[in-house]
């Protein structure tokens, strides 16, 4: 039998209390001087499992990361709790920026979701391009067949309020891009839901309300029409998931009209999906689309992806319009048509020069990482990254009245002008008629540099 006396127990308790008090006093004094091992220990508890997940081969390199993390957790002065998620996102952004590649990037969940929705070629809202004029949000133009068009919205309508929220005070301190994005975020919403816009329409100064039921709205990336002399004008604004189907529908309408030549307008096209570019090229010729140069110098050939026989325009002469905002997939298409398609000519200004390919990875929390996986070359193996594509005929943009053209792709004449004017389109049409453009030095009236891309709602 084991027996413990009460006196021994009492003495032990006193000793333990004295030790605790002494330890606490020492810790408090050390805390005043800086972080103690206790702070570091407590801060490390929440990251132990994560650190154990770090691959063994980089554990030593990550040791300093966790050392700094624990220092921040233990001693950073703060009046509010530290946002650990933002610390993680900041670390990711810093990691990717260290690679010195502007196209290897990270997007947080909200922005990543918007990007995914946009690239799918459709969204849920009212279907109208927004603009800003004299500090107010306006309807630039409604999409064809959209809820906005059906509700009678007109270009130039001023959006005074959205569901009672006055926009002017909200956007007063914002840039134009921020203001239109803010307005679009308030106007968009789930299919079937209702949004009420308070509008003002000149010349009536009195505002009025319009209730619109939101719907799924396709983003129109292909515009086309037949012009005089059998010219098929085709504009592609981006290479989204739905672009190929739109182009096929367009070609099925154009081909029975027996076009004798083509204007393909890729100006201000920022690019999009590589596969969509291959499919678009497959409507105009069959062959090599581009080469990819991957890690280790491996060169991979990628070919066009043909469409059905009723969507092919292989033979007519073609002029491709490009400018400094034609980038990425738009440059793939322009370069491939120049190199591989007979009787095809590039006209306009040197393109942007994005010659790299990215994979987009959706991460576990809905954020995304874009990683550059290759650089690409045109079919004749020209490199264009940070160089661009120089067209055979350089024609500067101009809206001089001498360059009168049809108002294509929903374009409207400048205020006070009786018609549309566009030097590049005008010389493209002249080139198809056999008239060679003059050198660019003779083009003196320049358009202003393009502003932010239109925001849709």
């Amino acid at each position: 039998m084991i027996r413990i006396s009460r006196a021994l127990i009492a003495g032990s308790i006193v000793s333990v209390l004295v030790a605790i008090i002494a330890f606490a006093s020492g810790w408090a004094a050390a805390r005043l001087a800086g972080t103690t091992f206790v702070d570091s220990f407590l801060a490390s508890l929440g990251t132990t499992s994560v650190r154990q997940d770090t691959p063994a081969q980089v554990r030593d390199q990550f040791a300093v990361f966790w050392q700094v993390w624990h220092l921040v957790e233990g001693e950073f002065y703060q009046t509010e709790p530290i946002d650990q998620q933002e610390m993680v996102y900041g670390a990711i952004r810093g990691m990717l920026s260290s690679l010195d590649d502007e196209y290897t990037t990270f997007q947080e969940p909200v922005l990543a979701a918007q990007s995914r929705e946009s690239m799918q070629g459709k969204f849920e809202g009212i279907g109208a391009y927004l603009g800003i004029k004299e500090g107010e949000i306006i309807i630039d133009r409604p999409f064809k067949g959209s809820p906005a068009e059906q509700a009678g919205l007109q270009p130039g309508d001023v959006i005074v309020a959205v569901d009672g929220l006055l926009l002017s005070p909200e956007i007063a301190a914002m840039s134009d891009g921020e203001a239109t994005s803010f307005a679009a975020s308030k106007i968009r919403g789930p299919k079937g839901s209702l949004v009420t816009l308070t509008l003002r329409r000149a010349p009536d100064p009195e505002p009025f309300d319009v209730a619109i039921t939101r719907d799924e709205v396709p983003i129109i990336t292909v515009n086309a029409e037949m012009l005089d002399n059998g010219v098929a004008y085709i504009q592609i604004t981006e290479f989204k998931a739905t672009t190929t189907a739109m182009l096929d529908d367009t070609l099925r309408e154009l081909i029975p009209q027996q076009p004798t030549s083509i204007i393909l307008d890729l100006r201000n096209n920022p690019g999009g999906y590589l596969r969509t570019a291959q499919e678009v090229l497959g409507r105009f010729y069959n062959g090599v689309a581009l080469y990819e140069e991957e890690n280790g110098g491996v060169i991979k050939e990628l070919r066009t992806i043909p469409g059905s026989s009723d969507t092919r325009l292989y033979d007519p002469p073609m002029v491709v319009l490009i400018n400094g905002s034609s980038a990425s997939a738009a440059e793939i298409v322009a370069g491939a048509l120049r190199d591989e398609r007979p009787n095809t000519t590039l006209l306009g200004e040197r393109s942007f020069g994005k010659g790299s390919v990215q994979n987009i990875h959706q991460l576990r929390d809905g954020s995304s990482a874009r990683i550059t996986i290759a650089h690409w070359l045109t079919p004749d193996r020209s490199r264009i990254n940070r160089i661009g594509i120089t067209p055979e005929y350089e024609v500067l943009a101009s809206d001089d009245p001498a360059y009168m053209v049809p108002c294509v792709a929903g374009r409207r004449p400048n205020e006070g002008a009786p018609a549309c004017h566009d030097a590049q389109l005008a010389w493209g049409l002249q080139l198809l008629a056999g008239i060679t453009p003059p050198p660019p030095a003779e083009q003196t009236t320049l358009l202003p540099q393009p502003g932010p891309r239109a925001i849709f709602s």
Side-chain angles (χ1 to χ4, degrees):
M1 177 176 69
I2 298 174
R3 185 176 291 178
I4 301 176
S5 72
R6 293 182 179 177
L8 181 60
I9 294 174
S12 299
I13 292 174
V14 171
S15 299
V16 169
L17 289 174
V18 169
I20 290 174
I21 292 170
F23 175 81
S25 300
W27 174 81
R31 186 68 183 84
L32 291 174
T35 303
T36 69
F37 77 92
V38 175
D39 294 308
S40 298
F41 172 73
L42 293 174
S44 70
L45 291 178
T47 60
T48 300
S49 62
V50 177
R51 287 184 289 120
Q52 289 174 344
D53 288 342
T54 304
Q57 63 269 28
V58 292
R59 211 163 274 168
D60 287 343
Q61 290 95 315
F62 266 86
V64 69
F65 172 86
W66 290 118
Q67 186 177 10
V68 174
W69 179 282
H70 298 151
L71 288 172
V72 170
E73 287 284 314
E75 66 182 50
F76 178 71
Y77 173 77
Q78 59 193 326
T79 57
E80 299 290 337
I82 292 175
D83 187 340
Q84 291 185 328
Q85 185 64 74
E86 185 52 39
M87 286 175 63
V88 171
Y89 288 158
I92 294 171
R93 285 191 290 266
M95 173 178 64
L96 297 184
S97 68
S98 74
L99 301 175
D100 193 27
D101 177 73
E102 62 266 46
Y103 304 114
T104 295
T105 58
F106 172 77
Q107 288 186 326
E108 295 183 16
V110 172
L111 184 57
Q114 292 175 355
S115 296
R116 284 192 293 271
E117 182 183 48
S118 174
M119 288 308 297
Q120 289 306 307
K122 55 189 176 183
F123 66 99
E124 294 184 352
I126 67 170
Y129 286 106
L130 303 182
I132 191 162
K133 184 177 182 181
E134 298 176 355
E136 294 185 301
I137 300 297
I138 64 169
I139 298 292
D140 182 69
R141 68 185 188 276
F143 289 23
K144 184 178 180 180
S146 67
E149 184 183 64
Q150 293 168 8
L153 270 59
Q154 299 178 13
D157 284 349
V158 175
I159 305 177
V160 178
V162 179
D163 286 334
L165 175 69
L166 292 174
L167 292 183
S168 291
E170 298 289 335
I171 67 173
M174 298 180 184
S175 68
D176 288 358
E178 291 170 339
T180 50
S181 294
F182 174 82
S185 71
K186 297 300 179 184
I187 297 171
R188 285 197 194 187
K191 175 181 178 180
S193 62
L194 196 70
V195 62
T196 299
L197 303 185
T198 303
L199 304 176
R200 190 175 70 250
R201 179 176 298 162
D204 189 348
E206 290 300 316
F208 59 95
D209 288 344
V210 177
I212 306 174
T213 301
R214 300 177 177 108
D215 202 349
E216 184 175 89
V217 181
I219 301 172
I220 306 301
T221 55
V222 179
N223 298 289
E225 58 187 278
M226 286 295 297
L227 307 180
D228 292 341
N229 301 319
V231 178
Y233 172 85
I234 304 171
Q235 179 198 52
I236 301 178
T237 61
E238 289 186 72
F239 292 87
K240 296 184 182 290
T242 53
T243 297
T244 302
M246 289 185 183
L247 179 60
D248 285 348
D249 290 342
T250 296
L251 292 174
R252 290 188 181 103
E253 293 179 6
L254 292 176
I255 289 173
Q257 300 177 60
Q258 299 181 332
T260 57
S261 58
I262 307 165
I263 293 276
L264 179 62
D265 193 345
L266 299 178
R267 291 175 296 177
N268 303 313
N269 183 322
Y273 287 130
L274 172 59
R275 181 178 176 85
T276 302
Q278 293 174 260
E279 292 169 345
V280 167
L281 286 170
R283 274 61 182 166
F284 299 114
Y285 76 93
N286 184 31
V288 176
L290 71 154
Y291 291 98
E292 276 190 357
E293 184 177 44
E294 301 175 343
N295 286 329
V298 175
I299 303 290
K300 183 168 68 176
E301 178 185 281
L302 299 180
R303 297 185 64 82
T304 62
I305 302 175
S308 57
S309 59
D310 61 347
T311 63
R312 297 176 191 168
L313 267 177
Y314 286 2
D315 299 323
M318 174 187 285
V319 170
V320 182
L321 304 181
I322 59 173
N323 64 8
S325 296
S326 304
S328 191
E331 293 176 289
I332 288 175
V333 170
L337 290 169
R338 177 198 65 185
D339 292 353
E340 290 287 288
R341 189 183 188 275
N343 210 2
T344 298
T345 307
L346 271 54
L347 183 147
E349 299 162 84
R350 186 174 65 181
S351 64
F352 181 81
K354 181 182 179 295
S356 59
V357 181
Q358 286 72 41
N359 267 349
I360 303 177
H361 302 272
Q362 183 173 341
L363 308 179
R364 65 174 68 185
D365 65 348
S367 59
S368 69
R370 294 181 179 227
I371 309 296
T372 295
I373 60 168
H375 279 203
W376 62 267
L377 299 79
T378 70
D380 72 358
R381 306 206 178 212
S382 297
R383 296 181 182 275
I384 70 101
N385 197 52
R386 299 183 179 178
I387 299 170
I389 297 173
T390 300
E392 291 133 285
Y393 293 99
E394 292 189 71
V395 175
L396 301 180
S398 171
D399 61 357
D400 189 295
Y403 303 119
M404 189 166 63
V405 295
C407 291
V408 294
R411 184 176 170 184
R412 299 186 301 276
N414 292 337
E415 190 171 344
C420 291
H421 304 96
D422 181 339
Q424 292 165 341
L425 177 56
W427 277 115
L429 293 169
Q430 293 277 58
L431 186 59
L432 289 172
I435 302 173
T436 302
E442 297 185 20
Q443 310 282 332
T444 55
T445 306
L446 302 183
L447 288 170
Q449 290 297 312
R453 294 183 62 80
I455 301 295
F456 44 82
S457 59

